[in-house]
Amino acid sequence: MATIREFPLPDPGEGLTEATLVRWDVAVGESVRTNAPLAEIETAKSVVEIPCPWDGTVVELVAKPGEEIPVGSVIARFEVESSTDTPPAAARDEASGQQVPADGDDDNSPASGPILVGYGARSAQEPTKVRTLAKPPVRKLAKDLGVDLTTVTATGPGGIITREDVQAAAKQQHARTLSDYPQPTNTPTTNEPWLEGGLVSADGRTTRVPVRSVRRRTAAAMVQSAFTAPHVTVFETVDVTRMIELLEYFKTQRAFQNVRLTPLVMVLRAVALAVRKFPQINASWDEENQEIVYKHYVNLGVAASTPRGLVVPNIKDAHALSLVELAEELATLTTRARSGKTQPHEMSDGTITVTNIGVFGIDSGTPILNPGEAAILAFGAVKAQPWVVDGEIVPRQVATLALSFDHRLVDGELGSRLLHEVAELLEDPARAFSG
């Protein structure tokens, strides 16, 4: 006997109480399997994929894309058999739950089994939708190329969209962004990540994009930080020539062959060591209890710019990691952040942060503290500049460091001493980067 079951928004953890629905990966009337992709949500800290909770048929999608949903609210309803369902023989599209021929990944192969389209119950709120037919590799290609499968003309057997169909559609699709500054007769599309969900004005001159979870929470956190913690910033310009030379030497060594070493990795190592020497800076201000909380570990945040906004995942227990281990952790975190897959626990419990503004060619700046942290270091661009060495002006590799700190917790002496320690480790790196 079939029963209707309600599925509430799961708790994403880390104290989050709400999330924004980015998209549905299923449609009303569609049969789904347990753990197949159901939807994608955006929390204050990351983008998370929600899997289907049961085998069954989707009868209602309660929440709408772009809607902010409290944890525990019903987002979908399913018709579920009381007994265990037998999985269908045909393969199932991992992206949408749609059945497709189970005959391998050849896009043009004939169907060997039934193709089910828009079957099942229909909700009062939404009619049954006809699904486009395409195998998972083709769906992924369409997503990568920004092609809407519902606009593609299918030429494959049984109305299946092939790889060639998607590629042809991509060639015909003249994607525009606001940077084109279109003429009044042209209308830009919104297929750039930062324009996702935007509404283009009738004259094509503006696009309005809703402020979503990551951007909204980042904005609120930065405003709170700027107007709650009294910021002070100190600067030091440092000769990093020997650091760059040591970096190049490490790249020739067997132990570093499988890791990506960059100046940022060296800076992270220097900050972790400097915090060991000046642990008082590794603290947070507890306003409610009127306490200073000193952290006996270093969770080193790394600011990462993504299409959805700024995120700051942190390297857990960075104080205990070698240079190789830091490089590996940095590569993992940044890759996940740029793909929008940073997990909530990776964003929590940071103790001090480094932001690499030098990657944009910027020399220096005054970074804003992450809430709950007492200091943030900005690492500026490394550039060849004239420098005085032993009374002689010579060309050297030079960079500027800027440290912002919470003056409630950190006085000028402590902040200056920590910054100078980082600078000295970068100037004389042998003692810092040997491990």
Side-chain angles (χ1 to χ4, degrees):
M1 177 183 295
T3 59
I4 302 298
R5 301 190 66 175
E6 295 183 335
F7 181 55
L9 178 67
D11 183 357
E14 303 298 332
L16 301 173
T17 60
E18 60 191 10
T20 300
L21 178 64
V22 177
R23 70 165 192 268
W24 286 109
D25 290 324
V26 300
V28 170
E30 184 176 332
S31 286
V32 294
R33 300 286 302 199
T34 302
N35 292 327
L38 173 66
E40 190 175 83
I41 62 170
E42 185 177 49
T43 72
K45 298 183 176 181
S46 63
V47 176
V48 180
E49 186 179 83
I50 299 178
C52 290
W54 307 290
D55 291 0
T57 301
V58 181
V59 297
E60 184 179 2
L61 299 177
V62 179
K64 296 179 174 57
E67 182 179 348
E68 196 166 272
I69 313 161
V71 169
S73 298
V74 175
I75 61 173
R77 293 183 174 90
F78 297 81
E79 184 180 86
V80 180
E81 292 294 331
S82 299
S83 60
T84 303
D85 295 329
T86 302
R92 190 167 294 272
D93 185 327
E94 295 178 358
S96 68
Q98 176 66 47
Q99 286 188 320
V100 296
D103 55 354
D105 287 334
D106 180 6
D107 303 334
N108 297 315
S109 56
S112 61
I115 301 175
L116 308 181
V117 183
Y119 58 95
R122 183 173 62 173
S123 88
Q125 286 78 18
E126 184 175 351
T128 299
K129 295 181 181 178
V130 176
R131 302 287 289 179
T132 54
L133 302 182
K135 295 184 179 180
V138 178
R139 290 184 181 276
K140 183 178 185 304
L141 176 65
K143 182 177 180 181
D144 292 343
L145 296 178
V147 173
D148 182 354
L149 284 176
T150 62
T151 66
V152 177
T153 301
T155 63
I160 297 175
I161 296 174
T162 67
R163 181 179 297 274
E164 290 72 20
D165 295 337
V166 172
Q167 291 170 335
K171 291 180 181 179
Q172 296 174 359
Q173 177 175 290
H174 300 291
R176 295 180 180 274
T177 67
L178 294 185
S179 60
D180 291 325
Y181 292 102
Q183 298 298 318
T185 55
N186 297 330
T187 301
T189 62
T190 56
N191 58 345
E192 288 289 332
W194 46 279
L195 292 174
E196 184 179 349
L199 179 64
V200 182
S201 63
D203 60 8
R205 292 175 64 83
T206 62
T207 298
R208 292 181 175 270
V209 180
V211 180
R212 295 190 175 170
S213 294
V214 171
R215 182 73 68 179
R216 183 188 299 119
R217 299 307 189 280
T218 299
M222 292 299 97
V223 170
Q224 178 188 15
S225 176
F227 290 97
T228 301
H231 285 57
V232 174
T233 306
V234 290
F235 304 85
E236 183 164 358
T237 302
V238 55
D239 177 1
V240 295
T241 305
R242 281 187 285 179
M243 182 195 80
I244 299 299
E245 292 171 348
L246 186 61
L247 180 66
E248 295 304 314
Y249 169 74
F250 281 156
K251 290 178 181 179
T252 67
Q253 302 303 298
R254 183 186 299 272
F256 296 90
Q257 289 302 302
N258 296 321
V259 297
R260 183 171 181 265
L261 286 180
T262 65
L264 176 59
V265 177
M266 313 290 258
V267 173
L268 294 176
R269 172 74 169 175
V271 170
L273 291 176
V275 172
R276 283 187 187 178
K277 187 171 181 178
F278 298 101
Q280 309 97 302
I281 205 164
N282 203 41
S284 62
W285 182 275
D286 187 339
E287 179 67 27
E288 182 178 353
N289 295 308
Q290 286 296 290
E291 294 174 338
I292 297 174
V293 182
Y294 291 103
K295 315 293 179 64
H296 307 302
Y297 55 90
V298 179
N299 285 351
L300 192 49
V302 182
S305 178
T306 76
R308 297 182 183 275
L310 182 72
V311 297
V312 188
N314 60 76
I315 300 172
K316 306 297 185 186
D317 293 326
H319 63 284
L321 302 181
S322 68
L323 189 62
V324 171
E325 291 167 334
L326 271 176
E328 291 172 341
E329 288 294 320
L330 176 63
T332 299
L333 285 183
T334 54
T335 298
R336 198 146 50 224
R338 287 166 184 160
S339 65
K341 301 301 182 183
T342 300
Q343 297 303 303
H345 75 273
E346 295 172 328
M347 307 272 288
S348 66
D349 199 25
T351 64
I352 188 170
T353 292
V354 174
T355 177
N356 183 19
I357 60 176
V359 73
F360 307 112
I362 302 300
D363 294 332
S364 189
T366 54
I368 297 178
L369 296 167
N370 287 312
E373 299 179 16
I376 179 172
L377 179 87
F379 174 44
V382 177
K383 297 180 179 179
Q385 296 184 25
W387 199 257
V388 177
V389 179
D390 298 328
E392 300 289 335
I393 299 178
V394 295
R396 303 290 283 181
Q397 296 295 316
V398 175
T400 298
L401 308 174
L403 182 76
S404 291
F405 52 86
D406 184 342
H407 218 330
R408 296 174 301 177
L409 293 160
V410 182
D411 59 26
E413 178 184 1
L414 175 59
S416 298
R417 286 185 179 277
L418 180 119
L419 179 63
H420 189 62
E421 177 68 12
V422 174
E424 286 193 335
L425 288 169
L426 298 180
E427 282 186 335
D428 183 17
R431 61 190 178 101
F433 308 125
S434 58

